Amino acid sequence: MLVYPCGLDVSSRSLRFPAARLREHHHRIGSRWRRLPAGRQALLTLAHLRHGTTYAQLAAGFRVGTSTVYRYIREAVDLLAALAPTLTEAMKTASTKAFVILNGTLPPIDRIAADRPLFSGKHKKHGMNVQVITDPFSRLLRASPA
């Protein structure tokens, strides 16, 4: 596999935030050695979330195994998901606003034809339904689990 550098169109602040959470987590669990430091793990996770880069491509680019890529992404996503407000907190915040915007989207997923419950007839593809609540300034208040 050929590896090449590419640009990631996110701010450095978007990298520093998950990197700091990962460093805190590694310190809290007493992790003494990692194949990639927290900053590189955060970059790996952002590349996957932003561009949908496959585990095999990330593994080649970061020179780690695909199972390591899976574990690192899962760990980072779980840490970020734990920071999200609960539905009760989101509703409490929404009640202070003049109005909120409720919208839904269907992120595509890779599934086989046997997974009929995950197939959207409207979009003619497999996907997971995600509902999002934002305030009038488009700041995210809550995103439902897929």
Side-chain angles (χ1 to χ4, degrees), residues 51-101:
H51 292 294
T53 309
T54 65
Y55 292 159
Q57 292 168 333
L58 289 169
F62 284 86
R63 299 175 194 243
V64 295
T66 52
S67 60
T68 302
V69 168
Y70 174 80
R71 279 193 327 267
Y72 281 4
I73 290 173
R74 184 83 262 142
E75 180 182 41
V77 168
D78 288 346
L79 281 174
L80 293 174
L83 298 173
T86 64
L87 183 57
T88 305
E89 294 168 347
M91 290 297 101
K92 195 177 293 184
T93 303
S95 68
T96 64
K97 308 290 182 188
F99 65 93
V100 294
I101 301 165

Side-chain angles (χ1 to χ4, degrees), residues 34-58:
R34 292 280 174 139
R35 182 80 170 117
L36 294 177
R40 299 285 289 167
Q41 182 180 353
L43 181 61
L44 178 140
T45 303
L46 289 176
H48 176 69
L49 293 175
R50 181 73 174 135
H51 292 294
T53 309
T54 65
Y55 292 159
Q57 292 168 333
L58 289 169

Side-chain angles (χ1 to χ4, degrees), residues 111-117 126:
R111 289 289 184 246
I112 58 174
D115 291 335
R116 235 20 220 170
H126 287 86

